[in-house]
Amino acid sequence: MKIKTQQERVKVVERCSWQRWKMKLISMLRSSKRRNGLFKKASEISTRCGAESALVVFSPDGKPFSLAGHRNVKRVISRFLDEDDQNSPPTADELIELENEFIMIANANAELKQVVDQMDVVKNQAKELEQIEKRLGKIKEIKDFNYHQLDELKKEEFDFNNKLEK
């Protein structure tokens, strides 16, 4: 393909730069999706297996992204590089972090217990309401009798009592 004019050359260069930009954008999107998938898998391994994991990923732009399961990335990497560190006691920061996690879990358990108690109260109230509705239904049936029907029932009762006396 021969390019004849300067204007055509500029258009070709613009098209090429546009395609490069588009490919870079697509690459960044794919990288982001894959990074999120990796982070999800790493956190799943950490929570399900109780393993300490650290993941460091560099984006196409060179930005680092890191994820550590329960501890910070530096601690996990230093443990990986220095095997003698495995039996060392936890640091003060780690103890504070564990205590905060314990407090959060205890608070969540207390809130859950309150919600369960409230649900039990609501269930009991619902049962009581059903019983009241049944009673009201019976009262309504009695109330629906009109006075004429009540007079007839009284007469029948009177006649019945007279027959019993004879």
Side-chain angles (χ1 to χ4, degrees):
M1 174 177 171
K2 291 187 175 183
I3 301 173
K4 297 179 181 177
T5 65
Q6 181 68 21
Q7 191 177 17
E8 289 177 350
R9 287 183 190 146
V10 169
K11 286 182 182 180
V12 169
V13 170
E14 286 177 356
R15 191 176 338 127
C16 289
S17 65
W18 170 253
Q19 287 177 347
R20 275 189 237 121
W21 181 81
K22 184 178 175 183
M23 292 306 292
K24 185 176 180 180
L25 181 64
I26 291 171
S27 173
M28 289 172 62
L29 288 172
R30 287 180 182 161
S31 168
S32 175
K33 287 180 181 179
R34 289 184 177 152
R35 181 182 68 238
N36 290 337
L38 283 172
F39 284 170
K40 185 177 178 182
K41 290 293 183 186
S43 65
E44 187 177 332
I45 287 171
S46 177
T47 54
R48 288 192 178 184
C49 301
E52 291 183 26
S53 61
L55 182 65
V56 179
V57 178
F58 290 92
S59 71
D61 292 342
K63 285 173 118 177
F65 294 92
S66 63
L67 171 88
H70 292 291
R71 299 177 180 219
N72 61 16
V73 176
K74 289 180 184 176
R75 172 88 170 143
V76 175
I77 291 174
S78 68
R79 183 172 174 194
F80 175 75
L81 295 175
D82 184 20
E83 293 180 17
D84 295 335
D85 189 23
Q86 290 181 2
N87 297 326
S88 68
T91 64
D93 290 339
E94 292 172 346
L95 289 175
I96 291 171
E97 184 179 328
L98 287 173
E99 183 179 2
N100 290 338
E101 286 180 22
F102 177 77
I103 291 170
M104 286 178 18
I105 291 171
N107 290 339
N109 282 337
E111 289 178 19
L112 180 63
K113 186 179 182 310
Q114 287 177 350
V115 169
V116 168
D117 291 342
Q118 289 174 354
M119 286 177 56
D120 289 340
V121 168
V122 169
K123 284 180 184 177
N124 291 335
Q125 288 175 346
K127 287 179 184 176
E128 290 175 9
L129 282 174
E130 287 177 6
Q131 292 173 354
I132 291 171
E133 285 176 352
K134 286 179 185 177
R135 289 183 204 149
L136 285 175
K138 291 177 183 177
I139 292 172
K140 187 177 179 189
E141 288 175 11
I142 294 171
K143 188 178 178 184
D144 287 343
F145 273 165
N146 62 24
Y147 291 110
H148 180 69
Q149 290 172 330
L150 287 175
D151 285 338
E152 287 180 20
L153 285 174
K154 284 182 184 178
K155 286 179 187 176
E156 288 178 17
E157 181 185 5
F158 183 73
D159 291 341
F160 182 73
N161 285 336
N162 285 338
K163 288 181 184 177
L164 284 177
E165 290 178 2
K166 291 182 184 181

